[in-house]
Amino acid sequence: MATTTPALVLDLIRTAGPVSRVELAQRAGLTAATITNIVRDLLAGGLVRETGRRPGAIGSPRRLLELAADAWYAVGVQLSRSTTTTVVTDFTGRQLAGTRSPGVGDGPPQVTLTALAAHVEHLLTATAVPRERVLGLGLVTHGPQDRERGMVLTSQPTRAWQRFPLTTTLAGLLALPVLLENDATAAAVGEQWTGSLDVDTFGVVWVGGGIGGGVVLGAESFGGPTANPVEIGHVPLDPAGAVCGCGNRGCAEVTAGPAAVVARAMADRRVRTRLRLSGRLDDTLSDFEKLVVASGQGDGAAADLLRASAERLADAVVTLMNLFDLDTVVLSGPALVTAGPLYAEAATRAAERGALARLLRPVRVLVSPDAGTAAAVGGALVVLRSPLVHAEPVVAARQKVLPMNT
Amino acid sequence: MATTTPALVLDLIRTAGPVSRVELAQRAGLTAATITNIVRDLLAGGLVRETGRRPGAIGSPRRLLELAADAWYAVGVQLSRSTTTTVVTDFTGRQLAGTRSPGVGDGPPQVTLTALAAHVEHLLTATAVPRERVLGLGLVTHGPQDRERGMVLTSQPTRAWQRFPLTTTLAGLLALPVLLENDATAAAVGEQWTGSLDVDTFGVVWVGGGIGGGVVLGAESFGGPTANPVEIGHVPLDPAGAVCGCGNRGCAEVTAGPAAVVARAMADRRVRTRLRLSGRLDDTLSDFEKLVVASGQGDGAAADLLRASAERLADAVVTLMNLFDLDTVVLSGPALVTAGPLYAEAATRAAERGALARLLRPVRVLVSPDAGTAAAVGGALVVLRSPLVHAEPVVAARQKVLPMNT
């Protein structure tokens, strides 16, 4: 996404605030006059407010700026076969409410989106945010996507989802703008703006039902020519592996993904029975969680399955580092809330052995502190960082839209 | 590399010339006044000249601009264990002379660079370009590199090369500025500016003694945070593969690279004898060539070895496409002058099956028409596109330097 100067300034205030105009000018590399003009517009638009003063080295104390947290709110929804995470955030990206609910399973898109819209309405009512201040909804799914048309391009979770008009349908149901984003890119945005990282250049490997990737270079998401980059779940890692729906043999998703690990566990009757795995497609993450817990309690079979998966995911981490010239990768996603440290350990070993960046600087594989919600929060932030924040007052826009739904 | 506006205009004239100021303004997205100013400076600096007129739709005929081919010359040297390619180009990037000579082998860097400097001096004399108009030399080697210090970071071809000051040594020997570039990135630059491609977004997989990668996005090389990206030769592709010097198991270089193919052929006494392979490290590319020729003549063992190599390289091509969101990859490098079509066929099959871009648009794997020289020409172009072209007149600079060497 191309960042405009006012958007850059908003981002700086989001991460660095409360901050003075002088500091903003320094950090943005802009003149004081430019910052003054931009800040005046942001104050007038109610996006930013002044908050106290800080003594300056010379002259009068500097007035400090921060985002107006109640200027806008947004909804973020991370949707997959096995889990749905929904959050409501304020303009700063702070999570006001969040739920985790069952995934799409084999449900058809129209039914799923209708239920989702009802759930979002319920959550918005529960959090009591002013409805006219809800800027939009960021819908986060697996890639590849046609971002502009708001569609996923593959037949996951079922064929009915392929090229189904997700964003226009959901926008119609909720009378809200809906933007589509890739799960791993959203997670990268979430990691970046929730302040858990000390660097602005890093990769993300996101493990939910599937596996995705994101790369942030100098605080900007790597977008790729058609907004479908970093499909780290679908690079071939093992010529002896299974064929994936993506067309490749032995890609990360079929060798390391939670669904593959659970399928292997299900194939062993003793493991399946001992750990009470359901094997249902919309239960993948809870079955996977059972394996992780059992492994931690000394179950050898579960430990072996996870170790094999972690080694292939480690290969994917090294691939990401060596192609994008990265020294830091964050592991995120709902599958890694508990399993994160186990996977990070294997990936750290692999990176210290095979990531070429190690020749110049230390390499790190970290586990996201918000592995379960980073993608959904990132979805909300995609909306809050979009040009929508500068649009005409939403009350007027809503009046145009509402009659269609009443 | 960050591109300045005059550099952008020079690039546009290099690819689109002869071209009018009006067309330049349109293509660059700049105002007529800005173009007029920049072109005036470029004309004054002797980098651009006017060449005839083309009738415009309205008003007086438009004067056309082209690069002053004799404004500057540059040397490009692609150096590897198994082969050295040296070219001299004019300012447009047109190759005036070129040689292919034996590679580094196990030679120590000081000896190799001294011989290389003598070879370059000889070539410059033979082409009779005015020495004071030689802008510099682009030295192209495998990565990863410390570009600023002009060093390679790994112990290839031998330990003595690791962190040896290549550019400063060669610059001292030749009294010329020397810039270091990655082989695959240089090849990408070469592909781009020699006009063989109809797109400005593509990947390059470069196969010489080793395997490298480059990505060009909207006519800009993807540089990565520390200028060492796209190490496609060193991503793990096979957990059952051999361990590479890079630290990874089963990376592209040890599963698909020419040295690995030749080593496998050498292990079979009958193949070794039948094809008269030398097995010497500095003969890798000619041994590889013998295998390619034999395969074309129906040698089953050679064909099997090459097929296995081509399938792993195809995996690397898909990896590149799926991480950088590409639909076009060019295969280049001295190993692919003859073998290109065989490798492109396997990679095309793999891309049509597993490159996710295929869901949105056709995917292509092409063989470079200049596979043997693209990296060396790219090295020269890296110099010719550098800020050096705007430096003080080189005659004065040379007078300062020459006494050191006379």
Side-chain angles (χ1 to χ4, degrees), chain A residues 153 163 201 225-228 230-231 234 237 239 246-248 318 322-325 353-354 356 358-361, chain B residues 153 163 201 225-228 230-231 234 237 239 246-248 318 322-325 353-354 356 358-361:
Chain A
L153 294 170
R163 297 185 194 270
T201 293
T226 70
N228 283 302
V230 201
E231 281 288 357
H234 299 294
L237 294 173
C246 75
N248 290 299
V318 171
N322 285 357
L323 289 194
F324 283 93
D325 190 14
R353 198 171 54 220
L356 294 167
R358 76 185 189 278
L359 300 167
L360 278 173
R361 55 203 196 278
Chain B
L153 294 170
R163 299 186 191 270
T201 292
T226 70
N228 283 302
V230 201
E231 282 288 357
H234 299 295
L237 294 173
C246 74
N248 290 301
V318 171
N322 285 357
L323 289 195
F324 284 93
D325 190 13
R353 198 172 52 219
L356 293 168
R358 76 184 189 279
L359 300 168
L360 278 173
R361 54 202 196 278

Side-chain angles (χ1 to χ4, degrees), chain A residues 189-212:
Chain A
V189 171
E191 299 300 339
Q192 192 182 357
W193 299 109
T194 51
S196 62
L197 277 173
D198 55 354
V199 289
D200 66 357
T201 293
F202 61 96
V204 167
V205 174
W206 190 88
V207 188
I211 295 176

Side-chain angles (χ1 to χ4, degrees), chain A residues 69-151:
Chain A
D70 56 358
W72 290 115
Y73 300 86
V75 181
V77 177
Q78 182 261 310
L79 195 68
S80 73
R81 184 193 278 266
S82 49
T83 185
T84 303
T85 305
T86 309
V87 300
V88 177
T89 78
D90 66 17
F91 190 44
T92 69
R94 191 171 64 94
Q95 188 180 324
L96 302 179
T99 62
R100 184 159 159 187
S101 43
V104 173
D106 286 330
Q110 185 71 50
V111 175
T112 304
L113 294 180
T114 304
L116 176 63
H119 182 71
V120 168
E121 291 287 7
H122 179 76
L123 200 63
L124 285 174
T125 306
T127 49
V129 300
R131 184 59 196 258
E132 72 279 6
R133 285 278 139 202
V134 179
L135 188 61
L137 182 148
L139 182 65
V140 174
T141 75
H142 64 86
Q145 306 168 327
D146 186 331
R147 202 71 49 86
E148 214 169 303
R149 292 201 176 83
M151 300 171 169

Side-chain angles (χ1 to χ4, degrees), chain B residues 107-109 155 158-164:
Chain B
S155 57
T158 67
R159 189 162 289 249
W161 287 75
Q162 189 171 23
R163 299 186 191 270
F164 183 91

Side-chain angles (χ1 to χ4, degrees), chain B residues 52-376:
Chain B
R53 289 162 184 266
R54 182 185 298 157
I58 300 166
S60 61
R62 293 169 176 175
R63 283 168 298 171
L64 299 178
L65 300 161
E66 66 178 10
L67 289 197
D70 56 358
W72 290 114
Y73 301 87
V75 182
V77 177
Q78 184 261 310
L79 194 69
S80 72
R81 185 192 278 264
S82 49
T83 185
T84 304
T85 305
T86 309
V87 300
V88 177
T89 78
D90 67 17
F91 190 44
T92 69
R94 190 171 64 94
Q95 188 179 326
L96 303 178
T99 62
R100 183 159 160 185
S101 43
V104 172
D106 286 329
Q110 184 71 49
V111 175
T112 304
L113 294 180
T114 305
L116 176 63
H119 181 72
V120 168
E121 291 286 6
H122 179 76
L123 200 63
L124 286 174
T125 307
T127 48
V129 300
R131 183 61 196 256
E132 73 279 7
R133 286 278 138 203
V134 179
L135 187 61
L137 183 148
L139 182 65
V140 174
T141 75
H142 64 84
Q145 305 169 327
D146 185 330
R147 202 74 46 87
E148 214 168 303
R149 292 200 176 82
M151 301 170 169
V152 297
L153 294 170
T154 55
S155 57
Q156 292 170 293
T158 67
R159 189 162 289 249
W161 287 75
Q162 189 171 23
R163 299 186 191 270
F164 183 91
L166 298 175
T167 56
T168 50
T169 303
L170 196 54
L173 288 164
L174 284 165
L176 277 178
V178 176
L179 301 180
L180 188 66
E181 188 49 89
N182 178 289
D183 43 26
T185 302
V189 171
E191 299 300 340
Q192 191 182 357
W193 299 107
T194 51
S196 62
L197 276 174
D198 55 354
V199 288
D200 67 357
T201 292
F202 60 97
V204 168
V205 174
W206 190 87
V207 187
I211 295 176
V215 168
V216 175
L217 301 169
E220 282 294 316
S221 292
F222 176 75
T226 70
N228 283 302
V230 201
E231 282 288 357
I232 192 69
H234 299 295
V235 302
L237 294 173
D238 185 357
V243 172
C244 174
C246 74
N248 290 301
R249 181 177 292 280
C251 67
E253 200 156 297
V254 291
T255 56
V261 174
V262 170
R264 271 172 229 139
M266 287 296 294
D268 184 330
R269 199 172 56 81
R270 283 183 302 183
V271 173
R272 186 175 71 206
T273 313
R274 187 165 71 240
L275 303 184
R276 298 181 193 175
L277 305 178
S278 93
R280 275 177 32 221
L281 287 175
D282 50 352
D283 259 356
T284 296
L285 287 186
S286 40
D287 280 348
F288 182 72
E289 188 76 12
K290 287 177 189 167
L291 284 160
V292 176
V293 171
S295 167
Q297 292 167 347
D299 187 302
D304 286 347
L305 287 170
L306 290 168
R307 191 160 37 237
S309 155
E311 275 172 17
R312 282 300 75 67
L313 198 78
D315 284 347
V317 167
V318 171
T319 297
L320 194 60
M321 286 180 158
N322 285 357
L323 289 195
F324 284 93
D325 190 13
L326 301 171
D327 55 31
T328 303
V329 166
V330 180
L331 301 182
S332 187
L336 297 183
V337 173
T338 311
L342 189 151
Y343 280 79
E345 198 186 312
T348 300
R349 265 200 313 274
E352 287 176 348
R353 198 172 52 219
L356 293 168
R358 76 184 189 279
L359 300 168
L360 278 173
R361 54 202 196 278
V363 292
R364 302 183 297 171
V365 183
L366 311 170
V367 182
S368 165
D370 309 298
T373 54

Side-chain angles (χ1 to χ4, degrees), chain A residues 13 20 24 100 150 194 215 218 230 236-237 262 281 283 318 337 350 353-354 358-359 381 398 400:
Chain A
I13 300 175
S20 72
L24 276 180
R100 184 159 159 187
T194 51
V215 168
V230 201
L237 294 173
V262 171
L281 288 175
D283 257 359
V318 171
V337 172
R353 198 171 54 220
R358 76 185 189 278
L359 300 167
L381 278 161
R398 184 88 57 223
K400 285 183 219 145

